[in-house]
Amino acid sequence: MSDEACRLDVWLHRARFMRTRALAAAFVEAGRVRVTHGGVQLRVDRPGRTVRIGDELVFAIGGRVTAVRITALGVRRGPPEEARALYCALSPEG
């Protein structure tokens, strides 16, 4: 994977939204994530879909809608402070 793109399931795991990469992959395969790239929003059902800095994600976990903009891709699943630096929160409405 290049330095400018990352698999969606890997990014969700690194950003600590999912406990394991396998859970992240299953979550994406279920079609529960929407990615906005270049102004176009798509429902994603492939864990290998690449995301880039600036892409926006919308998904629901635990009954709460989460909307974030990717600000960094990360290189590992680090502590929570490091994970929070990978995204900035957006309002669910856009």
Side-chain angles (χ1 to χ4, degrees):
M1 194 62 45
S2 71
D3 293 338
E4 56 202 37
C6 179
R7 287 176 56 109
L8 178 56
D9 60 337
V10 171
W11 189 87
L12 287 169
H13 177 60
R14 288 178 183 170
R16 301 183 72 90
F17 286 111
M18 300 290 159
R19 188 175 297 250
T20 67
R21 184 171 166 194
L23 286 174
F27 187 76
V28 174
E29 285 177 350
R32 299 178 63 189
V33 180
R34 292 179 186 258
V35 176
T36 303
H37 176 77
V40 178
Q41 187 177 74
L42 302 168
R43 180 175 292 185
V44 181
D45 60 359
R46 293 180 319 145
R49 165 46 161 107
T50 57
V51 291
R52 292 173 165 64
I53 294 173
D55 287 356
E56 296 176 2
L57 306 178
V58 178
F59 51 91
I61 296 179
R64 295 180 62 179
V65 174
T66 303
V68 297
R69 177 177 293 120
I70 297 173
T71 58
L73 300 177
V75 293
R76 67 184 183 124
R77 179 179 166 94
E81 300 80 31
E82 189 175 310
R84 282 190 292 269
L86 300 181
Y87 61 91
C88 65
L90 304 172
S91 66
E93 293 82 30

